[in-house]
């Protein structure tokens, strides 16, 4: 006889609501529905019904069940179910988020930590890859990180073909609060399931029994069950209608006892795990010789389905009647079997040891689980595990171990750890320190906790507090040295720089691989402002150590920092592109955003504005989605810089207004506005904007990088507002290491030398500026524009050629004010006016994208036809030296190392032009 109804009874209105939500999802109006009700009311049955209907309409159904013992379990099960399907999303669809999803598996190796918001976005991309129903059951059992991901999904499903269905009990906290808040802000609906009425109970009984029930039986069913479907079915199975709800468990146990001792032992072992249980572990616990038959017997008795009990109340009934001592003994056996078969499921093992009365072993598992969670970037989970450990024991050493593990990993994710996690970990350390003091703990343990707190202080920016904690520790070690060095550097005081450096050098000489990487990062920060070449050496060693010891997160950060350093040294992008690819390969989303931002800024300096816009937009979109507002502000700054370089005041001001909304700095605001003023030929306004930056920047510039002083100096020198002392002060500063500034300094030096009548030296300085600026944008053409008139007046250089090149560039860029100014100077000099040919704007698209000017294109066409520099100079009425500079610029813009490479690259693009 079938005692579970083959059809869903009494949920017509609820079913219509869910099907309507499914139809909306099919129309890309996704959303969520929470099914709320007491145990046995039919939440899972209704969810299963809608899942089956969705599957028949072509939806993917991803499902998972939450568990307090296993963080992220519901989401992990859903993710794994997606990858088991034939149409699983691939790397092309998920991009850099694919590794993030794979790292959610319980046995994923530690390495690259993922911020919670990145994990949430990865799940979002997975579920929105096609028509999807995401079914999460028992959400009331979910951990905080699972609820955080669900909350993120709720706010981002509106335009997707996704329906999220979650079942939960009406608990006042956690999932219920999430459901209430989501319903209030209209990103989800809540369906509350009530008991069945008398007619519906009659229908359910008829479907279960295959025939109508007598009126007196029906009346008793309604009275006893309260309309709860599970209770109705249990009463029908037991046949004892005298039972009342508190004794429904007895009816369940009656069926259990009818199965025989071996099957009962198997069910008791399964019940220790709760409603869902691992079959392999349960089998190992009972060591029966015929477990397949026993499972089949339990399924025929309608007690289990696959690897779970048919209802949570079944497991509760079985464990509830076991004597405490027997239950504890069975839990310990289950813990040992789980450790042997599933050693990575540490939270579950901890819960079993706790149930078995082995508190120390439970806390030890939580310590290991916390370290693993922190290494995966699950900082919220790590803190929750620590708090659970503290609730289990008063042993300060065990709790201190977890705090130490958490604090050791926090520096790896300093840019992505939410501030509240840092604050919570710090507060936990304070409480733990009080516990250690009261317990008269060993000084070494108390010192370890202080070091852990100091690490957290370094991440949270509490520099003085961290130093105070280390001052009381008194002993030294590589770990103490590197944390103290980081704290000293955070104070941003020049007089502390040498001390921080000495501590970091000592730690780098004797520390563990992780400490060495941390120390080399501090050394990089210490030396980058003074000596970029030395900083690069530290970075190369950092990268080598990270690769040698398999430290994935440290390797990624080293690659990014190496790319940033190369950007300063050469305006090159190769290392940044390598760092970006490594971030894509490993799913390090925050590193990927940072790499895109630096690439966008570098292409902006190179005058490759389409590439700058592409990378800036990519970074901005990702940062906005993840709520990383500081990084989003930098993406907006790139947008403002592109608009400024085109002299588009309205677009610049719009971008800068958005920048202020995101908390962008005054320096970025004023710099972009100043560049736009330069493109408008409003030099007084540009200088006023630069002066605003001078007032706003108060940090020591040897530590803090700047990007406005080069162009500011050039404008001031060109207009006679700055002389040799100001030039020498900057040219001898740390800024002279940066190619961007060296270019501006060389132009400024040339103008000063020409003004002093030192023509050969002025010509040499101009050649240096031209060589440094090959393949660049503003540093080259602002120099040509401002140096040209000064060279004309003082009789040095090749001012007419410079002004013609600048005029062509700014005309092609669409900056009429500067192009007109160049033409005006040429007219005043009596130079013949260049007649603009009809093909002026017909440079091939790929070359135009690389920033090739019309004049450079004319040179390139002759280079492709194998003319030498002297022949090209004669044909284009240029000097051989100018042709040589154009060829160098063409190689830089196209990324070619030799003339032959340049010819091979360009010939297909220009179609093999004929000699001119």
């Amino acid at each position: 006889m079938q005692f579970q109804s083959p059809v869903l009874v009494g949920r017509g209105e609820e079913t219509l609501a869910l099907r309507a939500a499914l139809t909306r999802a099919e129309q890309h109006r996704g959303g969520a529905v929470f099914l709320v009700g007491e145990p046995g009311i039919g939440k899972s049955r209704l969810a299963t019904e809608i899942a089956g209907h969705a599957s028949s309409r072509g939806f993917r159904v991803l499902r998972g069940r939450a568990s307090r013992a296993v963080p992220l379990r519901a989401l992990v099960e859903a993710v794994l179910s997606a990858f088991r399907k034939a149409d699983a999303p691939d790397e092309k669809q998920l991009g850099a988020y694919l590794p993030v999803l794979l790292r959610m598996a319980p046995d994923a190796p530690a390495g690259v930590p993922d911020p919670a918001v990145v994990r949430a976005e990865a799940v979002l991309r997975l579920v929105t890859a096609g028509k999807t129903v995401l079914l999460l059951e028992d959400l009331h059992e979910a951990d905080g990180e699972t609820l955080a991901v669900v909350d993120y999904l709720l706010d981002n499903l509106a335009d997707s073909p996704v329906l999220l269905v979650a079942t939960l009990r009406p608990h006042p906290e956690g999932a219920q609060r999430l459901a209430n808040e989501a319903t209030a802000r209209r990103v989800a609906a809540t369906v509350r399931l009530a008991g069945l009425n008398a007619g519906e109970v009659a229908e359910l009984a008829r479907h279960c029994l295959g025939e109508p029930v007598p009126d007196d039986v029906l009346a008793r069913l309604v009275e006893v069950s309260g309309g709860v479907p599970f209770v109705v079915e249990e009463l029908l199975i037991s046949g004892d209608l005298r039972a009342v709800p508190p004794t429904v468990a007895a009816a369940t146990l009656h069926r259990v006892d009818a199965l025989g001792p071996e099957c009962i032992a198997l069910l008791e072992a399964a019940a220790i795990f709760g409603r869902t249980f691992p079959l392999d572990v349960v089998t190992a616990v009972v060591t029966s010789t015929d477990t397949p038959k026993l499972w089949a017997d339990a399924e025929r008795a309608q007690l289990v389905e696959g690897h779970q009990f048919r209802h949570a109340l079944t497991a509760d009934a079985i464990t509830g009647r076991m004597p405490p001592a027997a239950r504890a003994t069975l839990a310990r056996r289950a813990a040992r079997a789980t450790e042997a078969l599933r050693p990575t499921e540490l939270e579950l093992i901890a819960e079993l040891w706790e149930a078995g009365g082995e508190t120390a072993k439970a806390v030890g598992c939580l310590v290991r689980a916390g370290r693993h969670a922190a290494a995966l970037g699950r900082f919220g989970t790590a803190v929750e595990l620590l708090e659970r450990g503290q609730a289990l024991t008063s042993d300060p050493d065990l709790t201190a171990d977890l705090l130490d593990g958490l604090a050791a990993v926090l520096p790896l994710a300093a840019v992505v750890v939410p501030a509240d996690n840092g604050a919570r970990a710090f507060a936990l350390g304070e409480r733990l320190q009080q516990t250690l003091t009261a317990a008269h703990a060993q000084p070494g343990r108390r010192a370890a906790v202080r070091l852990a707190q100091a690490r957290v202080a370094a991440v949270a920016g509490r520099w003085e507090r961290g130093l105070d904690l280390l001052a009381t520790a008194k002993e030294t070690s590589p770990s103490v040295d590197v944390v103290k060095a980081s704290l000293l550097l955070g104070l941003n005081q020049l007089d502390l720089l040498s001390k921080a450096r000495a501590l970091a050098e000592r730690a780098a000489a004797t520390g563990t691989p992780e400490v060495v990487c941390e120390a080399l990062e501090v050394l990089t920060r210490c030396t980058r402002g003074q000596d970029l070449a030395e900083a690069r050496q530290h970075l190369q060693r950092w990268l080598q150590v990270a690769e040698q010891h398999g430290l994935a997160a440290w390797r990624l950060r080293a690659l990014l920092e190496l790319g940033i350093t190369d950007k300063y040294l050469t305006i090159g992008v190769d290392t940044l592109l390598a760092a970006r690819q490594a971030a894509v390969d490993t799913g390090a989303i925050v590193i990927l955003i940072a790499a895109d931002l630096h690439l966008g800024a570098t292409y902006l300096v190179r005058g490759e504005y389409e590439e700058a816009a592409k990378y800036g937009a990519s970074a901005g979109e990702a940062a906005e989605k993840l709520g990383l507002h500081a990084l989003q502000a930098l993406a907006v700054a790139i947008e403002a810089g592109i608009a400024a370089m085109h002299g588009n005041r309205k677009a610049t001001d719009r971008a800068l207004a958005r920048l202020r909304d995101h908390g962008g700095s005054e320096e970025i605001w004023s710099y972009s506005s100043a560049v736009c003023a330069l493109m408008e030929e409003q030099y007084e306004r540009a200088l006023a904007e630069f002066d605003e930056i001078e007032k706003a920047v108060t940090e020591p510039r040897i530590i803090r990088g700047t990007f406005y002083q080069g162009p500011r100096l050039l404008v001031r020198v060109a207009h006679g507002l700055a002389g040799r002392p100001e030039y020498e002060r900057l040219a001898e500063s740390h800024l002279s290491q940066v190619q961007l500034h060296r270019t501006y300094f060389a132009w400024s030096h040339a103008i000063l030398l020409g003004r002093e009548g030192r023509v050969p030296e002025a010509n040499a300085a101009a050649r240096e500026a031209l060589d440094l600026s090959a393949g660049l944008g503003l540093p080259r053409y602002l120099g040509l524009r401002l140096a040209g008139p000064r060279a004309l007046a003082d009789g040095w250089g090749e001012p007419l050629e410079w002004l013609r090149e600048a005029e062509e560039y700014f005309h092609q860029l669409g900056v009429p004010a500067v192009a007109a100014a160049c033409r005006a100077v040429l007219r005043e000099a009596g130079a013949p006016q260049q007649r603009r040919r009809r093909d002026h704007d017909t440079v091939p698209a790929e070359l135009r994208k690389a920033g090739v000017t019309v004049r450079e294109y004319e040179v390139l066409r002759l280079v492709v036809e194998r003319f030498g520099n002297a022949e090209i100079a004669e044909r284009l009425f240029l000097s051989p030296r100018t042709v040589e500079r154009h060829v160098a610029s063409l190689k830089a813009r196209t990324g070619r190392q030799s003339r032959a490479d340049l010819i091979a690259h360009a010939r297909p693009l220009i179609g093999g032009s004929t000699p001119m």
Side-chain angles (χ1 to χ4, degrees), residues 40-108:
I41 202 68
K43 303 183 296 295
S44 293
R45 181 64 191 275
L46 178 58
T48 299
E49 193 78 12
I50 195 63
H53 178 68
S55 182
S56 70
R57 290 172 61 168
F59 280 79
R60 293 182 305 164
V61 177
L62 311 181
R63 61 195 309 164
R65 185 181 300 278
S67 168
R68 188 177 71 87
V70 184
L72 293 175
R73 172 175 167 168
L75 295 170
V76 169
E77 288 183 355
V79 167
L80 293 178
S81 71
F83 287 114
R84 284 194 291 267
K85 297 180 184 297
D87 58 346
D90 55 19
E91 187 174 359
K92 183 177 181 181
Q93 292 170 285
L94 297 173
Y97 286 92
L98 177 58
V100 179
L101 291 167
L102 298 178
R103 279 197 293 273
M104 288 178 64
D107 57 351

Side-chain angles (χ1 to χ4, degrees), residues 408 412 455 478-479 482 504 507-521 538 541-555 558:
L412 285 175
R455 282 187 180 279
S479 295
V482 75
T510 58
T512 63
E514 291 87 349
V515 169
V516 169
C517 288
E518 195 174 350
L520 290 169
E521 180 184 33
H538 293 312
R541 183 186 168 198
W542 172 3
L543 182 61
Q544 181 182 20
V545 170
E547 290 180 339
Q548 182 179 351
H549 295 278
L551 305 176
W554 282 113
R555 175 181 177 271

Side-chain angles (χ1 to χ4, degrees), residues 586-671:
T586 57
I589 304 300
V590 177
I591 296 290
L592 174 60
I593 295 172
D596 279 351
L597 288 170
H598 285 288
L599 283 166
T602 306
Y603 281 119
L604 179 59
V605 172
R606 288 159 62 115
E608 298 176 40
Y609 302 113
E610 289 185 16
E611 290 294 295
K614 180 181 76 174
Y615 285 106
S618 173
E621 179 183 353
E624 180 180 17
K625 195 71 180 291
L626 299 178
L628 303 175
H629 301 300
L631 299 182
Q632 188 181 358
L634 295 176
V636 177
I638 292 173
E639 181 184 334
I642 295 171
M645 268 306 304
H646 287 77
N648 188 332
R649 173 60 65 179
K650 287 184 178 179
T652 302
D653 287 346
R654 281 197 303 270
L656 292 177
R658 289 175 51 218
L659 183 64
R660 279 190 169 162
D661 291 341
H662 292 295
S665 71
E666 188 66 33
E667 180 176 346
I668 295 175
W669 172 281
S670 298
Y671 176 79

Side-chain angles (χ1 to χ4, degrees), residues 24-25 27-31 128 153-162:
R24 290 194 295 272
Q27 298 167 350
H28 283 254
R29 294 185 292 140
T128 56
L153 295 177
L154 294 174
D155 287 330
N156 290 279
L157 294 178
D159 299 321
S160 67
V162 177

Side-chain angles (χ1 to χ4, degrees), residues 83-316:
F83 287 114
R84 284 194 291 267
K85 297 180 184 297
D87 58 346
D90 55 19
E91 187 174 359
K92 183 177 181 181
Q93 292 170 285
L94 297 173
Y97 286 92
L98 177 58
V100 179
L101 291 167
L102 298 178
R103 279 197 293 273
M104 288 178 64
D107 57 351
V112 180
D114 295 314
V117 69
V118 169
R119 194 177 303 116
E121 176 65 17
V123 175
L124 177 67
R125 297 205 176 199
L126 174 68
V127 299
T128 56
K131 290 167 50 178
T132 303
V133 168
L134 177 61
L135 175 54
L136 303 177
E137 295 194 64
D138 293 342
L139 202 61
H140 53 275
E141 292 281 352
D143 59 292
E145 296 208 16
T146 296
L147 296 180
V149 173
V150 172
D151 193 36
Y152 185 87
L153 295 177
L154 294 174
D155 287 330
N156 290 279
L157 294 178
D159 299 321
S160 67
V162 177
L163 175 62
L164 188 158
V165 179
T167 69
L168 61 147
R169 296 178 187 176
H171 291 184
E173 298 296 328
Q176 181 64 71
R177 178 185 295 174
L178 172 67
N180 292 343
E181 291 174 352
T183 302
R185 64 178 189 267
R186 299 184 179 181
V187 295
T190 294
V191 173
R192 299 186 183 278
L193 301 186
L196 304 179
N197 60 34
E200 292 163 343
V201 170
E203 184 182 355
L204 177 60
R206 180 173 59 81
H207 284 299
C208 289
L209 298 175
E211 59 184 8
V213 297
D215 291 344
D216 59 333
V217 173
L218 175 60
R220 187 61 179 164
L221 275 176
V222 173
E223 178 187 354
V224 172
S225 71
V228 176
F230 172 74
V231 178
V232 172
E233 292 178 357
E234 288 295 307
L235 291 172
L236 291 172
I237 292 172
S238 71
D240 184 5
L241 297 185
R242 293 171 301 173
V244 292
T247 61
V248 168
T252 301
L253 293 174
H254 179 72
R255 281 183 286 137
V256 172
D257 291 338
L259 293 173
E262 282 192 316
C263 196
I264 292 172
L266 190 69
L267 291 172
E268 286 176 343
I272 285 293
F273 292 89
R275 182 178 184 184
T276 303
F277 46 82
L279 286 170
D280 56 336
V281 178
V282 173
T283 301
V285 170
V286 298
T287 62
S288 173
T289 58
D290 197 10
T291 51
K293 177 183 179 302
L294 297 177
W295 284 125
D297 291 343
E299 287 189 347
R300 278 194 298 272
Q302 299 187 53
L303 292 168
V304 298
E305 293 176 340
H307 63 286
Q308 66 180 28
F309 287 98
R310 198 167 67 85
H311 197 277
L313 293 178
T314 306
D316 293 343

